Amino acid sequence: MQLIFATHNQHKVGEISPLLPVSIKLVALKDAGITEDIPETADTLAANAMQKAMFVYEKLKSDCFADDTGLEIDALGGRPGVYSARYAGEGKSAAKNIEKVLIEMRDKRSRAATFKTVIAAIIGGKPYLFEGAVKGFIAQQKTAGENGFGYDAIFIPDGQMVSFAQMSLEEKNSLSHRAKAVAKFIEFLNSR
Ligand code: ITT
């Protein structure tokens, strides 16, 4: 089957592609002819993911899905959460987002956080949601490691010694919020 992935974030494509069975052909937005920004104006991950998937479905009437992800930090009352992408402003700069979180977390002893991904899929014209989460904590400062993207250099999953930015793609995919949501999505597709 063919699935359009409603994202402009190539890192997400890079993480999800190797998790999909060969029977699923992933189609990038630009290959589906969509180059404009997709609005994400809702205030939950699920509603944002569905907004992105519906945007594509309404244009193309094809099976598609979107991923909305947020980093929820306990000591910050769940922020940046659904506002993760633009936490430090419209520029969506990962470096600035990380800097803002580290400043807000400077005096915080409790550093627990959860990465959450919600996948919204429209399959055969019907909407579905799949969630994945991983608990961990926020590092005192940016760790070494250039892998991953976004907040990966400050997130250390529980039970691990290193951040997502220090892990290979395979290691991150064996633990991550996104990989867990994708696994549920694949299970659903296989059960149809
Ligand atoms: P699309 O909406 O086009 O899919 P986006 O980058 O805007 O791409 P989100 O709305 O889901 O994606 O934004 C989530 C924010 O969290 C954004 O700043 C990402 O860089 C970051 N993020 C998402 N997944 C992440 C991951 O696995 N590790 C670290 N940071 C991540």
Side-chain angles (χ1 to χ4, degrees):
M1 78 181 293
Q2 225 173 250
L3 273 180
I4 301 170
F5 187 5
T7 184
H8 288 299
N9 185 327
Q10 290 315 304
H11 297 285
K12 290 184 181 179
V13 179
E15 288 187 8
I16 288 182
S17 297
L19 295 170
L20 298 176
V22 287
S23 55
I24 295 178
K25 182 174 181 286
L26 207 61
V27 179
L29 266 190
K30 65 170 172 10
D31 296 331
I34 296 181
T35 50
E36 68 259 51
D37 254 4
I38 302 180
E40 29 184 329
T41 52
D43 55 9
T44 64
L45 296 177
N48 262 341
M50 196 51 81
Q51 188 181 10
K52 290 188 269 191
M54 281 305 294
F55 181 91
V56 169
Y57 184 75
E58 276 166 8
K59 280 191 185 295
L60 303 172
K61 298 282 183 274
S62 301
D63 290 343
C64 60
F65 71 100
D67 157 326
D68 205 55
T69 295
L71 176 61
E72 299 181 356
I73 303 177
D74 294 5
L76 302 181
R79 279 186 289 119
V82 71
Y83 307 109
S84 293
R86 294 172 176 79
Y87 198 46
E90 276 305 311
K92 283 182 146 191
S93 154
K96 286 188 179 151
N97 286 339
I98 283 181
E99 197 185 316
K100 181 168 177 187
V101 165
L102 287 178
I103 289 170
E104 290 183 337
M105 290 296 289
R106 201 153 37 198
D107 306 323
K108 303 283 195 261
R109 288 164 65 96
S110 152
R111 306 191 70 84
T114 307
F115 247 128
K116 286 188 187 160
T117 289
V118 178
I119 287 178
I122 317 274
I123 307 293
K126 295 205 183 93
Y128 301 92
L129 291 171
F130 307 93
E131 294 186 23
V134 58
K135 287 186 181 297
F137 61 95
I138 303 299
Q140 295 291 341
Q141 54 198 11
K142 221 173 152 207
T143 68
E146 297 298 325
N147 296 335
F149 66 103
Y151 295 90
D152 278 346
I154 56 168
F155 184 83
I156 301 175
D158 282 348
Q160 304 297 310
M161 304 290 285
V162 295
S163 76
F164 274 153
Q166 294 167 288
M167 294 183 190
S168 66
L169 174 62
E170 292 72 24
E171 285 167 330
K172 183 178 174 188
N173 269 347
S174 73
L175 299 166
S176 86
H177 44 304
R178 176 164 297 105
K180 287 178 185 171
V182 170
K184 290 182 188 167
F185 183 27
I186 293 172
E187 198 184 312
F188 162 78
L189 291 172
N190 286 336
S191 71
R192 295 163 67 242

